[in-house]
Structure formats: C-alpha cells, structure tokens
Amino acid sequence: MNGRIPRFAAFFALLVYVWTSLAPAAWAQSPAPEEGGLVRLFSEDFGGATKGKYAAGEVRLDSGTWYLDDALLGKDDNPDGTQKDKRVGERSVRIRNSGKLEMRFDVDARGRVRVDVLHAMYGSDQGGRWRLEYSPDKGETWRALGEEVASGPDLALASFSLDLEGFVRFRVLKTDGSTDGKVRINVAEFAVYTGAPGENPPSFGPPGDGQDVPPRDPTAPDEGGASPPSGGNGDHPVKLHLIHTNDIHAKIGDFAKLARYVQDVRAHEPYTLFLDIGDQFSGDAVVDLPKGKPMVELMNAVGLDAMVVGNHDFDYGPEETQARRAESTYPWLAANVHVADPAATPLTPFVPYVVFRWDSAGRVERIVGNPGDHDRDFGRETSRLTVGVLAVTQAPPATAPKNVVGLEFEPYIPAIERYLWLRDRVDVLILATHVGYPDDRLLAEHFGPVFDLIAGAHSHTRLDKPVWVNGVPIVQTGAHLENVGHTVLTVDPGARRVIHVDGELVPLASLTEADPRIQEIVDRATADVRSFLEEVVGTSQRGLSQAGKTRGDTPLGNFWTDAMRFYLRDLDPAPDIAFMNGGGIRGDLAPGPITRGDLYRIEPFANQLTVIDLPGRALEEILRYSYTRDGRNTVDLQVSGMHYTLVTDAQGNLLDVHMEVGGKPVDPDRIYRVVVPDYIGTGGSGYPFPRLGEIRFTMVGLVTQALEEYARHLMDTRGSVDADKEGRIRIEVRVGAEEPDLVSVRAVREAPEGTLVRTRGVVTTPLGAWGGKGFYLQDDTGGIYVYQTNDEDFGPGDEVEVVGRTKVYNGELEIADPVRVTLVRRGAPLPAARVVAPTPEDLAAHQGELVRLEGVRIENLRQANKYGSFEFLAAGASGAGVLVRVDSRTGLDYTRFTEGLGFREGDVLDVVGIASVYNGTYQLKPRGAEDFVRRSAEVPAPPAPPVEESPPKEVPGGDLDAGVLPPPAAPPDQSPPPQEGPRERVAHLLDRLLARFMESFRLIFARLFVPVAPWFSFFAGGK
C-alpha cells in the first residue's frame, strides 16, 4: 500500500500542473460560450447515445431530434473500457460514404446565428471534406453556409455565421464523393448560438425587486426543493417544463405514478407547470358514482396548476359541476364559455386565462384572469419568467344540453382574438384547447406563431412528439392516462421569447415509482364503491357485442334498447319504441358473469331516460338525420319496438326510409311514445327530438338501472343474459344503382382521399386485430387496410369485394366504414410475403402488404401497454432497423412471446407482418405467433470499426440494411419506448461531464506530453 501513495501523489501533482497550465489550450477547441449579443441555444456532444444503441436514422438526444444518414453515433469500446474504434473524442458521429448529420428540430433565429462544429478525420482516414448547409423551410430546400471544409487528424473548430430571422435547420453534408466508407468525418460537438450582435442579454429580472409575491400553493408539493436558476447577465436560456394530461375520463389507477413523475420534474426543474386540458370526468364508476369528488381530491393533492373545461366536465349537471369547481384549488379555464342567463344556472363565469409569474427569488405566483380583461400588467419586466395560458373548449359541447342550460358557447376564433393582447404581456403564451386535433391545426393555420404552443385534447389523438403547423407546435397525449406529456419550451432571456420546443410522451406503464400518499386516495376511492360494483347482476353465455353498430342492429344494441322499454313497461301508455345512440355504447359484455361495474363501464355517462311523444312523420326525419349527420352515412340509432330499412344508392347516399312498428308501416299521423337517453332527448349531437315532439317525462331512471333490471329479468326468465342480431335495422342498396368501376388496390392507393372506390383482394389478417373488425386486403398490385365494425363471416384466405371511401387515419391510408363487403370465394391462396430490408424506405414502398424481414436481431424489447401489446427494434446486420409492434388483440402478448415462446433480447429471427405506418413512423405489424421464426440465439453485433493498422472492412449487405430509423411512435392503444426521467438525465449529465474532463486531459497528454506517456500509464495504472 505504501508503494501506491507516492505514485498517486505524483499523479495528482502532475494532473494539477497540466490542468492549470495547459487546459486552456485544449478547451479553446470546444465551441465558444456566449459572446456579444449571442446566446447559446444548445450544445450537443452526442453523449446521450452509444454505437450499440443507435445507427442510421432519427435519434432523440438531450438537445432534440437528429437525423443520421449513413452515419454511426456514439462510441464502441472494448469490454474493459479501452477504446476500440478510431474516433477522435469520447463520443461522436462518424459520417461515412456520402452521409449527412441533420438536425430534425428547428431553432428560432433572431438576426444572427453562429454554428460551431468540432470536427476531425476518423482515425487514419484521409481526404474527408464536408460543408455546412442550412434550411429556412424545415428541410424542403438546403443552402450552403460557407466554404467546403477539410478535416484533419486532430479536433478543429469550424465556425459559421448567418443573418436570418425565423426558424432554421442545419446539417453537415459529406462532399468528398467517397462511397466505400473508408473516408469518414468525425463530428465531436455541435453548437448553435443566436442573437442580435452588440447586445448583452439581460437576466430574467434583477435580484431583489422588492415585490411581495406569494409562493406556490401549499397544495402543490415541490418535494426535493429545486433551487431557482441564477440571474445576472449571460444567463443560459431558461427551460419551461410543461407536464400535461388530457381526456383522463376518470381513469385514476395510475394516478400515484403521475404524481411521483410531477414531483420529480418539479424537484429538478424550477420552471415547471402541470396542466390538464380537460375531460377529467366520465368514464369510470370509481370517480363517476361520487360525481367526480375523487378526481378533484387527487388533482388538489398533486398540485394541478390549471385545467381546461372539457365537454364531459359538464356531465354531472350544473350543480355538481359548480360544487367540484368550489372544491378545486386550481382554476377551470374556458375563454369562450359565458353565463348568458344567471337565473338558469348555478354556474359562475369561467376563467378565460391564467398567468404564472416567477419572481426574482424563484417563487411562482398564479394570476387568474377575468372575463372581459382588455389589458393587464403582470410585471413581466421585473420577473424571471411569465407564462400565459389561454383556453377554449368545444362549442357547442358534446354533453347533454340540460347540463349547460344558461351558458353560451362562443366560436373559437373571436374568443381567442379578444385576448391576443396577452402576447405582449408574457414571455410564453400557450393556447390550451379542448376542441380536437383537426381544429387545433386550423387554429394554428389561422393564428400562426402568435402562440408558442397549442396543448390540445378532446380527439384522443396521440402525438408522440410536437407536430408543427404554420410555425406552431401542437401536443396531445391520447387519453385515459395512458401517457403523460412532457414538453420543454426554451426561452431566450434576452429577447424574452421561445426559441426551441421539444417534447415527449411518457407512458404511465413505463413508470415504476408511485407516491404512496396519492395511492392511498386512489385505494380509498376504489374501496368506497368496490362492493357495489362487484355485485353480479347476470351471466351471459355468448357475450353481447356492439360490433357492426354502424351497419345494422347488434346483440348489445338490442339488449340495451329492450332494457329501456322494459324498465318503463308500467307507464301508461308504455313506450312503443326505444332509441339508443351508438356513441353512448362504450364497450362489449364478454361471456361470463356480468357485474354492475361492467354496466357502468359500457355506459359511463349517467344518462337518464327521457320519454317523448312523436308523430310518425317525425320518426322518419329523425332516422334520416341519424344516418346522414355530418356526412357520415352510417347507422347511429339502435332500436327496440321498430324495424327500419335505410335505402341507399351504391355510394351509400340515403334515398328512402322504411319503418314498421308491430309489423305494420308507421302511420305518419299517429303519435308514438319513444324512450331515449336524455343526451339525445334534449338535443345532443344535433338530434331534433325537442323540436319534433313533446317531452312527457324526464329523469325517470338511469340507463344503467334499466340495464341491470333487465339483466336480472332475463336471468329469472331465461337463465342467461343474451341477445341476437335480429335484422331490426337493414341497409338496402337499390338495385341498378351505379357503382364505381372495379379497380386494383394500387389504383385505390393512388386515388385522392375521400374517393369512393370498389376493389377486390384476399384478406390477409384476422378480423379485429387492430380495432373494430378491420382487416388488411391485398391483390397482385398492393395492400390496404379496411376499417369496419361488422361481424363478417370471412377471414384470411377469403377473397372479398369492398366498396367504400378512402381515408387517411394517423398517416395510414384505409377504406373506412365500407358501404358493403361481399365474399367472392373462400380458400384463395394468401399472397407470399415479400422479403424486404429492415428500412422505412422498404416498408413505405409496400404499405398494406405482407412482407418478411430475415435475420433481424431483437433490440429494445418491451411491453408497450397494460394489455400486453409489445414492440421491439428489428435490427439488420448494419444496425439499421425498423419498429415491430405486436397488438395483444392478435392473440400474442408480451408474456406469451417472452415466456411461452422464449424470445428474448438479442435473438435473431425472421418475422412476417403487414407493412404499416403510424403518424410518420413505418412499422411492421405481425398477425400472431406464427409470424415469428427463430434463426439463432447468437447476437450478430453490428460490424465494428477497423483497428488502427488495418484498412476498413466492407459491410456485407450494407446497402440492403442502410436506412432511416424513425423515433418510436405508437398506435392509439400502445405506448412509446420509455424515456429517461429527470434523475437519470442528471446522472447521465454528470457522467458526460466527467468523461469530457478525462478526454480533455487525455488529449493534452497525447499531443503535448508524448515523451511522458509511459509515466502517465504508470501513474494511472499503478504499475
């Protein structure tokens, strides 16, 4: 031991001498800090990845999303930690062949931009040249910035300047023309600065501004005590962390995980907000039976900063809605909702906007706006940061009209325009909308970058990362608390404006830590209703399905409407007819015991039965409206006591309606008694019941009570709760009506969206593996998805003819809700799966078709959601790969795949599936266990870079596997790969800082102290 002390002391002394004397020379090669009026937007040293994890494609790093074309990212070291490849620097991008390194996120330039690139050749390579290019239109066109650059053996700094306003993207493009991978460029660091030259950026408010600002609400726990960032000139950009949820719909099972995640972010990030964008309620009896009280208690406990009022947040009625508002410690936002008649509603005016203001001490104040505010000073100039949130909700809202009596819902645009003065009063302006993704896009087109972010809801759209429309990023998390959104807005402290936006979705299933205090609230709320919900009310032998409800009657629809009439059988007169809108039926009943909880699951809206007297002629108008509303041309009303036929042409357009009650045609002059749920009975979804008939009874019982009573009656009289499809509703296509010409699937794919088409092909997948009763269809020219909900008597290997309109859904072309699907023949041969490379380009070329990936390796295997769906990266020999997603509805789930079939990380296999796409992410969708064939248990690692003395090796099959790997983006029922939490990011940052310190020290020795290198080995190794 004594022998080691002198060596360590000498090593330490030498370390101090070298660092203090010579470190400035080494650091001079790194991208320079802020100077003059320039502020650093970001610096990326590619330390967030290793070569074994990422290859060519889109990659999410700490600074944002990058695109690598024919490049390798990270490092590849020996097991003992010694350097294996010939990189220059600890981690880097190696650009080979004719590849490029491109930013996929956009920076907001304000006058002057400087880009610093730390570059070198890769090992002993020679002749590598490159140039920096920029794109002002997000990658549509590229322009050279500066002259071509030649890299040498040592790290060198290349700086480029550009005068530009607005969004800009950059890329490093290799220009030497080499195509064999033997000439490679090594990029070790990349930094971007922006600002107006000659200005020194001010801080976010001077310390000690003397204002008495209340701290964060005590109900919003900030465990961990994050310190506020320092003020003073030269501050780095400030990052606002927005945690957001939407359309939770009373699903609180994972709320304790959400709470812990919010706490962790707040503990590490002083500028953090937690917003909910609406529809907290309606969807689970645990929350709905006590009229939303558990949800409010949970949101108070976690410290929600504000919520947007969603349409279903009115569902409990105005008295309960006002009571929940009074219990909330956070404001309910809706700038376009006004109390038009205070005498008709207990609801008080909603808050149009809220401003959050961080003072010089880092404390945050919540300033609640007032309806009619035309201007207001929030102390922006003396604050560190001010954030405004303006909100609008669906107009009119999809809730029972009785819930919003006395309220007026204003169109979105004029409501928003009244508060645009906020733009000049805050640093960050967020538009929070519960209107749906299509309308979010329209608002972005209309207002442009007036808003720094649109946080959306209502349409249950899952956006795995921000989607940019007209310079505005839009985010939304999906629904049912499957994900929590985490969006980061970077603010320039000088210009006081947002210069960068990035974000991700964090699946709740990927989180492991939960707040026990919050879990106690969840458990108590569940226990309060458990015995009530677990009571069995009947048993079904066959189950009750709603499949096919847009094309005719269904077993569940018939049971449901029969229950409504049965419940009111003692009325005088009793109802002749019952109608139930299809949108109010929210699930199936499986074979087996039926609990009261099952009934609340399929009817979560607490609809009341309403009795209306209608003349026969009004029934025809109602049925016409139900089929044609919003241009849908689909069945909506399930029925009891009536048979009706909708006569259409070949295009699905309604021509006539035939109705029978008691086997006789409906008399247009007779008055019929009809029972409906109060949602449509009071005009919901535009139904004209109040205008056409006389409402005789309201609030005569809950729909769930009717379902329960009828289920018990069936058990007593028949022994089971079952029903059949009876033909109560039929669609008849008029004979001789003109149909579109029969065309190939390729022609269908080339037709404009919305075209009525007729095509024929072989069914290649089971029905319903990806929602409804949909299936994939393929002929000799291509394949396509057909989305429909009917229980059809066909499956894989059957040839069918389909008539319907094309539609793009989440980026994938499909034939949606076809007018008809006709069986042509059974036993047709299935198309052979085409062998393709594991690249998005190959999958894009064969969309909707059966394809095969051969010899791919399983990487990043993980369960994607609580139902057992799973995903992995299918990596080829070069490391390039594509995403494989397996939906548990195929019959194969994560447990069976890993335990039953024994597949694991690193296995090599052949996999067959459908080439598909979801919001720009190309993926393979296998049909079940039979689509996987194991090749080997060995892991074929990507080819390693050559050793120092040997010439670079060719990569066998490299051209086949080279491609782009998009970031994971999941279909609606699945979750993206787990992301690092705040703690992991901090730990990795410390690792990177230590690695950069040691790398700088190594470079100093390597270049300036070569003669004493043996001494360095002696000191470092203790030998």
Side-chain angles (χ1 to χ4, degrees):
M1 180 171 179
N2 292 337
R4 285 185 176 269
I5 293 177
R7 283 194 291 268
F8 178 79
F11 168 67
F12 184 78
L14 183 60
L15 171 64
V16 171
Y17 165 76
V18 172
W19 184 254
T20 56
S21 303
L22 300 172
W27 281 114
Q29 300 178 40
S30 298
E34 294 84 344
E35 61 181 65
L38 298 183
V39 176
R40 182 165 61 189
L41 294 179
F42 69 88
S43 178
E44 180 58 67
D45 65 358
F46 309 105
T50 62
K51 181 180 174 184
K53 184 176 180 183
Y54 294 110
E58 272 193 4
V59 183
R60 297 293 295 273
L61 300 178
D62 291 340
S63 60
T65 301
W66 293 75
Y67 175 87
L68 312 179
D69 183 358
D70 210 1
L72 298 174
L73 174 65
K75 67 178 182 179
D76 188 17
D77 286 342
N78 294 309
D80 61 1
T82 57
Q83 185 168 314
K84 180 179 180 181
D85 58 24
K86 301 184 294 178
R87 68 183 182 276
V88 181
E90 177 64 18
R91 292 183 173 97
S92 62
V93 172
R94 275 138 289 167
I95 309 175
R96 58 184 185 178
N97 299 339
S98 297
K100 56 181 173 287
L101 165 69
E102 177 184 326
M103 296 163 46
R104 271 297 168 92
F105 51 98
D106 300 295
V107 297
D108 192 1
R110 50 175 214 281
R112 171 64 55 84
V113 185
R114 191 184 80 217
V115 181
D116 289 352
V117 182
L118 200 60
H119 66 102
M121 291 300 299
Y122 180 68
S124 58
D125 291 355
Q126 299 291 327
R129 298 186 305 278
W130 56 275
R131 68 170 176 262
L132 187 72
E133 295 186 341
Y134 73 96
S135 172
D137 50 16
K138 300 181 181 179
E140 292 294 326
T141 60
W142 292 93
R143 307 170 186 173
L145 182 59
E147 301 295 328
E148 188 178 68
V149 179
S151 295
D154 299 323
L155 285 174
L157 179 64
S159 292
F160 307 84
S161 292
L162 172 69
D163 289 333
L164 183 70
E165 287 282 351
F167 290 99
V168 63
R169 183 178 294 178
F170 297 96
R171 72 179 181 187
V172 175
L173 180 67
K174 198 159 174 286
T175 59
D176 54 46
S178 59
T179 59
D180 59 3
K182 295 181 179 180
V183 179
R184 286 156 287 188
I185 301 296
N186 187 117
V187 176
E189 193 162 350
F190 197 102
V192 178
Y193 306 78
T194 187
E199 297 178 2
N200 236 352
S203 69
F204 265 88
D209 61 3
Q211 301 206 26
D212 184 15
V213 182
R216 178 182 287 278
D217 226 329
T219 57
D222 281 339
E223 299 178 11
S227 300
S230 61
N233 291 342
D235 273 356
H236 290 297
V238 170
K239 294 185 181 296
L240 171 67
H241 290 256
L242 175 64
I243 310 302
H244 54 101
T245 53
N246 62 269
D247 298 281
I248 294 176
H249 286 294
K251 308 298 184 187
I252 61 173
D254 283 332
F255 211 95
K257 292 183 178 181
L258 169 67
R260 177 51 56 88
Y261 185 82
V262 173
Q263 293 163 7
D264 286 347
V265 176
R266 282 175 172 161
H268 293 90
E269 305 294 346
Y271 301 110
T272 298
L273 291 177
F274 174 31
L275 303 179
D276 181 78
I277 319 298
D279 275 8
Q280 292 184 7
F281 309 119
S282 283
D284 193 294
V286 171
V287 170
D288 293 336
L289 286 174
K291 305 300 183 184
K293 290 183 179 181
M295 180 64 73
V296 172
E297 183 181 1
L298 288 166
M299 287 296 188
N300 286 344
V302 80
L304 181 66
D305 290 304
M307 71 167 274
V308 181
V309 183
N311 57 294
H312 286 298
D313 296 323
F314 295 104
D315 281 356
Y316 302 142
E319 290 78 11
E320 295 292 347
T321 300
Q322 185 64 23
R324 298 297 84 76
R325 289 177 65 190
E327 295 162 2
S328 303
T329 59
Y330 45 88
W332 292 37
L333 308 179
N336 66 322
V337 181
H338 313 290
V339 178
D341 184 359
T345 178
L347 290 168
T348 56
F350 290 94
V351 175
Y353 68 90
V354 64
V355 171
F356 299 90
R357 175 184 180 270
W358 280 263
D359 71 0
S360 59
R363 297 175 298 179
V364 59
E365 175 189 9
R366 183 171 59 204
I367 305 170
V368 175
N370 301 308
D373 282 351
H374 298 295
D375 197 3
R376 195 167 171 184
D377 186 1
F378 305 108
R380 180 187 185 192
E381 300 307 319
T382 58
S383 306
R384 289 194 174 189
L385 181 66
T386 52
V387 179
V389 180
L390 175 64
V392 292
T393 193
Q394 185 190 22
T399 187
K402 64 173 184 168
N403 297 330
V404 291
V405 172
L407 299 183
E408 177 184 273
F409 291 81
E410 185 182 6
Y412 313 134
I413 290 176
I416 293 169
E417 286 176 339
R418 283 202 313 280
Y419 295 95
L420 291 183
W421 55 267
L422 285 166
R423 176 66 281 176
D424 297 326
R425 292 298 189 179
V426 295
D427 304 316
V428 180
L429 185 57
I430 298 169
L431 181 61
T433 70
H434 194 94
V435 301
Y437 181 59
D439 282 329
D440 285 338
R441 295 183 64 93
L442 293 176
L443 292 174
E445 292 287 357
H446 182 85
F447 289 103
V450 167
F451 295 101
D452 298 305
L453 179 76
I454 294 178
H458 183 63
S459 56
H460 297 195
T461 305
R462 177 186 175 131
L463 302 176
D464 291 285
K465 56 183 180 179
V467 174
W468 291 78
V469 177
N470 194 26
V472 185
I474 303 172
V475 295
Q476 194 178 150
T477 70
H480 304 139
L481 205 58
E482 294 276 349
N483 308 288
V484 56
H486 189 165
T487 302
V488 181
L489 298 93
T490 303
V491 184
D492 176 0
R496 305 189 77 96
R497 61 183 286 192
V498 173
I499 54 178
H500 185 218
V501 178
D502 199 7
E504 64 182 7
L505 295 187
V506 180
L508 269 295
S510 72
L511 302 179
T512 57
E513 296 186 4
D515 183 336
R517 179 174 60 97
I518 300 299
Q519 190 62 49
E520 288 179 3
I521 300 175
V522 173
D523 293 342
R524 172 166 40 84
T526 303
D528 288 344
V529 298
R530 179 179 292 118
S531 59
F532 176 81
L533 295 176
E534 289 179 349
E535 184 173 343
V536 176
V537 299
T539 301
S540 176
Q541 300 297 323
R542 304 190 301 271
L544 294 166
S545 170
Q546 63 169 332
K549 64 182 179 181
T550 62
R551 305 301 302 163
D553 60 299
T554 68
L556 181 56
N558 292 341
F559 161 76
W560 193 300
T561 50
D562 287 349
M564 294 167 65
R565 289 179 64 214
F566 178 81
Y567 188 77
L568 300 178
R569 63 193 180 280
D570 294 330
L571 277 183
D572 186 18
D576 302 294
I577 303 165
F579 287 127
M580 180 65 202
N581 59 303
I585 303 175
R586 291 301 178 103
D588 298 329
L589 293 175
I594 299 172
T595 66
R596 191 179 282 121
D598 291 325
L599 302 182
Y600 279 92
R601 172 179 56 82
I602 64 174
E603 205 293 275
F605 303 118
N607 272 301
Q608 290 276 349
L609 297 173
T610 297
V611 178
I612 306 173
D613 287 344
L614 287 158
R617 63 175 56 86
L619 294 174
E620 179 178 349
E621 183 173 342
I622 286 169
L623 291 176
R624 284 182 176 274
Y625 175 81
S626 72
Y627 181 81
T628 60
R629 67 189 184 100
D630 301 326
R632 301 184 186 197
N633 284 3
T634 57
V635 171
D636 185 44
L637 292 181
Q638 295 291 295
V639 69
S640 174
M642 169 190 275
H643 284 62
Y644 69 88
T645 300
L646 303 167
V647 183
T648 73
D649 62 18
Q651 287 76 34
N653 300 311
L654 186 64
L655 301 176
D656 200 359
V657 179
H658 298 157
M659 303 171 292
E660 290 184 355
V661 172
K664 299 178 181 179
V666 167
D667 183 346
D669 297 320
R670 176 187 162 185
I671 299 299
Y672 294 87
R673 177 152 288 187
V674 180
V675 57
V676 296
D678 61 346
Y679 172 68
I680 60 174
T682 54
S685 291
Y687 273 96
F689 285 102
R691 175 174 59 84
L692 298 177
E694 180 183 357
I695 296 178
R696 299 303 302 271
F697 303 99
T698 61
M699 310 289 287
V700 292
L702 290 167
V703 170
T704 47
Q705 292 173 328
L707 297 176
E708 177 179 345
E709 183 171 315
Y710 190 56
R712 294 184 184 276
H713 168 73
L714 290 180
M715 290 299 296
D716 292 340
T717 58
R718 302 180 189 176
S720 68
V721 181
D722 288 293
D724 296 310
K725 178 180 174 69
E726 300 176 8
R728 299 179 184 182
I729 306 169
R730 297 176 58 245
I731 294 180
E732 179 183 299
V733 179
R734 178 158 291 174
V735 178
E738 184 178 352
E739 283 196 337
D741 293 335
L742 183 66
V743 298
S744 68
V745 172
R746 176 180 294 176
V748 170
R749 299 193 65 89
E750 294 173 349
E753 183 180 1
T755 301
L756 185 72
V757 296
R758 181 163 66 103
T759 191
R760 183 178 293 183
V762 177
V763 178
T764 58
T765 64
L767 273 63
W770 298 282
K773 296 296 180 180
F775 58 91
Y776 280 89
L777 183 76
Q778 185 171 337
D779 67 4
D780 293 338
T781 68
I784 195 168
Y785 184 59
V786 179
Y787 178 77
Q788 54 102 47
T789 57
N790 292 332
D791 277 317
E792 302 284 6
D793 183 25
F794 56 73
D798 290 336
E799 185 178 2
V800 297
E801 185 172 294
V802 179
V803 178
R805 294 190 184 276
T806 58
K807 175 183 178 181
V808 175
Y809 182 75
N810 286 330
E812 182 173 26
L813 182 68
E814 62 182 34
I815 300 175
D817 293 320
V819 175
R820 67 172 176 87
V821 180
T822 306
L823 178 65
V824 176
R825 62 172 174 141
R826 297 192 183 278
L830 278 172
R834 184 191 303 267
V835 177
V836 299
T839 68
E841 291 87 351
D842 271 31
L843 294 190
H846 300 289
Q847 282 291 287
E849 300 176 31
L850 279 174
V851 298
R852 177 189 299 272
L853 304 178
E854 295 188 341
V856 292
R857 185 178 64 258
I858 297 176
E859 293 186 359
N860 302 327
L861 173 64
R862 58 177 293 276
Q863 182 168 327
N865 62 22
K866 62 184 178 183
Y867 306 109
S869 299
F870 64 95
E871 63 191 18
F872 61 86
L873 176 70
S878 71
V882 292
L883 205 64
V884 174
R885 298 186 184 279
V886 182
D887 195 300
S888 58
R889 288 173 290 189
T890 61
L892 178 63
D893 61 16
Y894 180 77
T895 300
R896 184 184 174 202
F897 186 75
T898 55
E899 298 179 8
L901 301 180
F903 286 104
R904 65 184 188 277
E905 186 83 8
D907 280 356
V908 179
L909 46 75
D910 296 347
V911 56
V912 173
I914 300 293
S916 179
V917 64
Y918 176 79
N919 280 344
T921 298
Y922 291 98
Q923 57 189 0
L924 186 75
K925 300 196 300 191
R927 301 161 297 177
E930 66 279 3
D931 281 340
F932 295 90
V933 177
R934 190 189 311 273
R935 274 203 172 189
S936 168
E938 299 298 323
V939 181
V947 297
E948 185 72 30
E949 293 79 11
S950 303
K953 299 178 182 178
E954 299 290 343
V955 180
D959 291 339
L960 286 177
D961 287 328
V964 180
L965 175 60
D973 68 326
Q974 296 187 1
S975 304
Q979 306 289 337
E980 288 183 344
R983 295 175 179 173
E984 289 82 357
R985 285 197 290 269
V986 171
H988 287 183
L989 176 61
L990 294 175
D991 290 343
R992 291 169 54 197
L993 291 174
L994 178 61
R996 290 184 61 183
F997 173 86
M998 296 305 298
E999 177 64 19
S1000 300
F1001 188 71
R1002 185 190 68 78
L1003 289 174
I1004 293 168
F1005 262 99
R1007 294 165 190 164
L1008 303 177
F1009 285 87
V1010 173
V1012 296
W1015 289 90
F1016 177 73
S1017 299
F1018 171 78
F1019 291 133
K1023 297 180 181 179

